[in-house]
Amino acid sequence: MGQDQSCCSKRQESKGNIHKISKVPKGEVVTDIGAIGAKAYDPKPSTETVSKAEKVGIGAYFQKSQADPGGLAVKSLLANSPAQQCGKITVGDIILSVNGENVYGKKLAELAEVLLGPPGSEVTLVFKREASDEKYDVKMTRGIPGFN
């Protein structure tokens, strides 16, 4: 897994293509689509596709912050996702906590463990603006458009 990973959605973009999502066994957290079942991506059509995800995030991609070595910063937001629709989260913002649990200094996989949850469940996040260090809270419902 590279430095840029998604912990908030279960899709992977590769050269403009969006790959199908394989079913994730209950209780497993996936931060890299290639890690599902330790199988390499198979470009052949799958007969088992997910119509309803078991765990979803808020529709934000995170990466290690360039400006703050201990922080995980927003890399991008999925269109029409809860993260984009709340109107507060911007690229570069650093996530500090999820439902009161400190995630500053954690790895991306550790963030995924607390950020992903059942579709429709509520989550409260605290972010810090990269430029000003201003902290803000957002409360939203987990979900990824097309997978709820």
Side-chain angles (χ1 to χ4, degrees):
M1 286 195 268
Q3 179 178 342
D4 297 343
Q5 301 169 330
S6 166
C7 70
C8 299
S9 73
K10 294 177 183 165
R11 76 175 194 171
Q12 176 188 31
E13 296 182 32
S14 175
K15 297 182 184 173
N17 297 326
I18 299 175
H19 302 290
K20 287 191 176 186
I21 299 173
S22 298
K23 188 159 181 120
V24 179
K26 193 168 188 155
E28 286 190 26
V29 175
V30 177
T31 57
D32 182 348
I33 198 79
I36 296 175
K39 296 178 185 173
Y41 172 70
D42 183 359
K44 290 182 263 176
S46 172
T47 57
E48 194 175 330
T49 57
V50 174
S51 59
K52 185 171 183 170
E54 292 178 17
K55 284 191 171 186
V56 295
I58 60 167
Y61 287 92
F62 291 85
Q63 65 184 359
K64 286 187 177 186
S65 171
Q66 301 298 317
D68 185 340
L72 296 174
V74 175
K75 177 184 176 189
S76 63
L77 303 172
L78 290 173
N80 301 314
S81 67
Q84 186 212 23
Q85 290 179 342
C86 82
K88 288 186 177 180
I89 302 171
T90 60
V91 171
D93 289 355
I94 296 170
I95 189 164
L96 300 176
S97 71
V98 177
N99 288 335
E101 184 175 330
N102 179 26
V103 293
Y104 184 82
K106 304 278 184 176
K107 295 180 180 181
L108 285 164
E110 294 170 313
L111 173 60
E113 288 177 23
V114 294
L115 191 56
L116 294 175
S121 60
E122 296 223 337
V123 62
T124 302
L125 310 167
V126 177
F127 284 90
K128 172 177 81 166
R129 297 256 182 242
E130 182 181 34
S132 67
D133 286 338
E134 167 197 350
K135 293 181 184 178
Y136 64 94
D137 298 3
V138 286
K139 185 175 184 177
M140 62 185 72
T141 303
R142 289 178 176 105
I144 302 298
F147 293 103
N148 294 338

